[in-house]
Amino acid sequence: MKKITYLLGIVLLTGAVSCSDFLEEDPYAVLSEEQLTTPENVDGFVTAAYAALGNDHYDIPFSLWPYGNVRSDDAYKGGSGTNDIQVFHFFEVSENIRTDFGELDAFWYNTFIAISRVNKALAALNQIDEADFPEKQTRIAEMKFLRGHFYFMLKIMFKYVPYVTEDIPVEEYGSISNRALSNDELWSAIAGDFEAAAEVLPPTQPEVGRADKTAAYAYLAKTRLYQAYEQDENHNVVNVNQQRLQQVLDATAQVIGKHQLEEDFAYNFLPGSFENGPEAVFSIQFSDNDGTLHGRLNYSDVLATPQGIGCCDFHKPSQNLVNAYKVGEEGLPLFASYNDTNIEFSNLEDYRVDPRLFHTVAIPGLPWKYDEEYIYQEGWVRSPSTYGYTASLKENVTADSEYLVNIDPFYGNSKNRIEIRYADVLLMRAEALIELGRHNEALPLINEVRERADQSTTLISSYATNTGISPYVDGENINWTQGVAREALRWERRLEFAMEGNRFFDLVRWGIAGETLNRYYDEEAEEINYYEGASFEEGREEYLPIPQAQINFSQDVYIQNTGY
């Protein structure tokens, strides 16, 4: 861009001899959108839309760690203290959440920039003759998939957002109300993009990272599952729509058997040859050594690197989450009593635990990311008196990894981030079956995930000797009623997807965010003083406020969310 601007400056100077002649000439080195909309160039619009998947920042993360994890019972904010990115601390304790937070405004803005890129690509593709660009329909389907992806994020964050398509000029975005579509209609619009994408996309793509048919069906299932839990204006779940649940089954049926679980849970969170594995339904592709200054790194998660490796020790698993990995004598979770006592890291052998603990939580005295040359130390922790001694493992890499990049003062990495895993597809299908009263059909799906978890000891066997979980066996170790199945499913989602940005949104979908988080705050306040006075306000804090700057931009066309 700088080079183009410089050339244009030369033309302006040399062409100033005759002002009238210059004004009648097309500027040199400036391409109009019409000139770029050619079969040879149109894929550039598509690439720009894909690039938006990684156009975020550590305080505007598309990985949603402050909103899906820190805002739940799974994680502490971390950092140097409660004032370090204080806005995220307010989310952590559900206090002082305001409409003027710059982080929320930037998230809204960045996501709509991504949507505008998608819409611009769609508008360009619509102008191209398919005979001149045979990939036209596939690329249109890819763009609808991406639009669905970005809108899904906005929807679970803000609930009500303006829905804009390629037919609407960017300058008119602010004139469309965020209440033009009802809650259910907005879900249907998002689902419509995934349905349209699924109908056209090929089963596989020749280039890694492009959306394919199974990815579209998986996202469609996720959208319909959220839509099934119907909410009133105060965000109470008032009905679970059986038709939507059947649509979840229909969509997941298109993915079952097309992917498979990794043999070991750990393989989902390793770089290099492990990326884009059999469980990865759709991943955001990151890179290094690609000809740019630092490569296309995962800027969402750079803050999660502990101080012993880089900076800045954010996004730390909570003690409550650690305790949730306890296992009873029969190899099942301790649903009611898991948090009665804390797992003490100095006496880990005293507890039987789910193997996924060691793939999710860094524990002092144990190898960092399976590397026995680097033992995770208490000294790697930035603020132990505030946030304890854990660290998050999934988004990180080994200390000497070729995929770890110094972007002083931070250390980023180029490991892909899986947006939707096959395990999620299995558990979404199980959830729909349970809510349809077909819980016996859900049992083998949940057990498939648990059995994989139990055998996920390949990289931890030398130090994790106290692991072992069992499948659910109706009539033997559990009485598999609908209510028990529902609890088991929700528990499995927590253990399987911990620290992956899902937990808070699951709680809101199920309608139990208030009761879960207020109980969590009360228990945490006994040991962590900053939780004293924390309180989740039901009917308000299930969703974030519409940024006031965006309401101003729309000249009050946008309507603020309930309670803000």
Side-chain angles (χ1 to χ4, degrees), residues 346-417:
S346 58
N347 299 307
L348 264 176
E349 65 280 359
D350 293 345
Y351 309 90
R352 184 178 177 183
V353 298
D354 188 310
R356 287 172 288 193
L357 170 66
F358 297 99
H359 302 295
T360 305
V361 182
I363 297 172
L366 298 183
W368 169 256
K369 202 69 181 183
Y370 319 115
D371 187 350
E372 297 193 16
E373 295 296 318
Y374 290 89
I375 303 300
Y376 179 65
Q377 306 285 343
E378 291 185 1
W380 290 18
V381 177
R382 192 175 181 187
S383 303
S385 62
T386 306
Y387 298 115
Y389 289 96
T390 66
S392 182
L393 282 173
K394 288 180 177 178
E395 68 270 51
N396 279 301
V397 297
T398 56
D400 58 357
S401 172
E402 63 181 296
Y403 303 96
L404 186 68
V405 180
N406 183 354
I407 45 173
D408 190 49
F410 308 116
Y411 277 72
N413 70 66
S414 59
K415 178 167 64 72
N416 289 354
R417 183 172 69 247

Side-chain angles (χ1 to χ4, degrees), residues 354-562:
D354 188 310
R356 287 172 288 193
L357 170 66
F358 297 99
H359 302 295
T360 305
V361 182
I363 297 172
L366 298 183
W368 169 256
K369 202 69 181 183
Y370 319 115
D371 187 350
E372 297 193 16
E373 295 296 318
Y374 290 89
I375 303 300
Y376 179 65
Q377 306 285 343
E378 291 185 1
W380 290 18
V381 177
R382 192 175 181 187
S383 303
S385 62
T386 306
Y387 298 115
Y389 289 96
T390 66
S392 182
L393 282 173
K394 288 180 177 178
E395 68 270 51
N396 279 301
V397 297
T398 56
D400 58 357
S401 172
E402 63 181 296
Y403 303 96
L404 186 68
V405 180
N406 183 354
I407 45 173
D408 190 49
F410 308 116
Y411 277 72
N413 70 66
S414 59
K415 178 167 64 72
N416 289 354
R417 183 172 69 247
I418 303 177
E419 285 296 301
I420 190 163
R421 296 199 270 120
Y422 187 60
D424 202 356
V425 175
L426 292 175
L427 294 182
M428 287 190 294
R429 184 173 181 83
E431 183 174 339
L433 287 167
I434 290 167
E435 297 304 326
L436 284 167
R438 297 162 59 183
H439 43 282
N440 288 334
E441 297 175 60
L443 182 58
L445 299 173
I446 296 173
N447 278 341
E448 185 176 349
V449 175
R450 288 185 63 76
E451 287 163 359
R452 190 276 298 273
D454 186 51
Q455 69 185 33
S456 296
T457 58
T458 309
L459 302 179
I460 62 173
S461 59
S462 64
Y463 55 88
T465 59
N466 58 332
T467 65
I469 63 175
S470 303
Y472 295 105
V473 182
D474 188 24
E476 293 186 18
N477 60 13
I478 201 163
N479 181 20
W480 194 254
T481 64
Q482 184 185 37
V484 169
R486 182 181 292 119
E487 182 176 34
L489 177 282
R490 294 177 178 184
W491 201 270
E492 203 63 32
R493 283 197 63 86
R494 186 182 191 190
L495 301 181
E496 178 73 15
F497 303 115
M499 310 301 283
E500 294 182 50
N502 294 286
R503 174 66 171 171
F504 179 82
F505 306 115
D506 281 347
L507 296 175
V508 171
R509 179 174 81 253
W510 298 327
I512 61 172
E515 63 184 89
T516 302
L517 293 181
N518 283 323
R519 180 174 62 249
Y520 168 69
Y521 295 154
D522 289 343
E523 293 171 351
E524 289 293 304
E526 295 178 6
E527 298 183 25
I528 301 177
N529 59 16
Y530 69 74
Y531 278 105
E532 294 176 2
S535 177
F536 185 90
E537 184 178 341
E538 295 183 68
R540 178 180 188 264
E541 291 172 347
E542 288 87 353
Y543 295 93
L544 297 168
I546 308 301
Q548 186 60 47
Q550 297 301 322
I551 294 176
N552 295 343
F553 161 74
S554 75
Q555 298 183 13
D556 293 326
V557 170
Y558 298 165
I559 298 172
Q560 186 55 269
N561 281 335
T562 301

Side-chain angles (χ1 to χ4, degrees), residues 310-370:
C311 182
C312 293
D313 202 34
F314 279 75
H315 193 212
K316 300 171 73 64
S318 70
Q319 183 68 56
N320 187 286
L321 175 64
V322 171
N323 293 342
Y325 286 99
K326 290 179 188 174
V327 174
E329 291 182 1
E330 294 185 317
L332 304 184
L334 300 176
F335 297 116
S337 61
Y338 78 98
N339 206 42
D340 288 352
T341 59
N342 291 337
I343 288 181
E344 296 180 6
F345 299 135
S346 58
N347 299 307
L348 264 176
E349 65 280 359
D350 293 345
Y351 309 90
R352 184 178 177 183
V353 298
D354 188 310
R356 287 172 288 193
L357 170 66
F358 297 99
H359 302 295
T360 305
V361 182
I363 297 172
L366 298 183
W368 169 256
K369 202 69 181 183
Y370 319 115

Side-chain angles (χ1 to χ4, degrees), residues 262-302:
E262 289 277 10
E263 291 183 6
D264 193 298
F265 182 73
Y267 299 163
N268 288 300
F269 312 106
L270 294 174
S273 61
F274 291 97
E275 295 175 318
N276 302 305
E279 190 169 340
V281 178
F282 183 71
S283 301
I284 296 178
Q285 308 293 311
F286 296 108
S287 63
D288 185 22
N289 296 321
D290 56 8
T292 60
L293 178 60
H294 294 304
R296 189 68 167 170
L297 304 181
N298 174 11
Y299 276 87
S300 272
D301 298 313
V302 296

Side-chain angles (χ1 to χ4, degrees), residues 43-83:
D43 239 349
F45 289 98
V46 172
T47 300
Y50 271 106
L53 291 167
N55 282 358
D56 55 354
H57 196 248
Y58 62 75
D59 58 352
I60 317 164
F62 284 167
S63 67
L64 303 184
W65 66 265
Y67 311 107
N69 301 333
V70 170
R71 211 170 164 210
S72 78
D73 48 358
D74 273 6
Y76 306 133
K77 176 183 70 68
S80 66
T82 58
N83 291 329

Side-chain angles (χ1 to χ4, degrees), residues 43 47 91 102 108 118 129 135 140 144 150 173 183-184 247 272 306 310 352 365 389 438 441 464 478 482:
D43 239 349
T47 300
F91 295 142
W108 179 290
V118 169
D129 192 311
E135 298 86 1
I140 288 175
K144 290 185 177 181
F150 287 116
Y173 279 17
N183 181 47
D184 188 67
Q247 290 174 323
R352 184 178 177 183
Y389 289 96
R438 297 162 59 183
E441 297 175 60
I478 201 163
Q482 184 185 37

Side-chain angles (χ1 to χ4, degrees), residues 107-152:
F107 183 93
W108 179 290
Y109 177 81
N110 280 7
T111 311
F112 272 106
I113 287 293
I115 290 168
S116 72
R117 287 191 182 190
V118 169
N119 287 337
K120 191 174 289 291
L122 284 167
L125 287 162
N126 288 334
Q127 298 176 50
I128 300 296
D129 192 311
E130 192 168 356
D132 298 323
F133 188 67
E135 298 86 1
K136 174 179 176 176
Q137 296 305 322
T138 298
R139 294 293 184 263
I140 288 175
E142 289 175 34
M143 293 301 93
K144 290 185 177 181
F145 173 92
L146 288 185
R147 186 165 64 192
H149 165 82
F150 287 116
Y151 263 113
F152 187 93

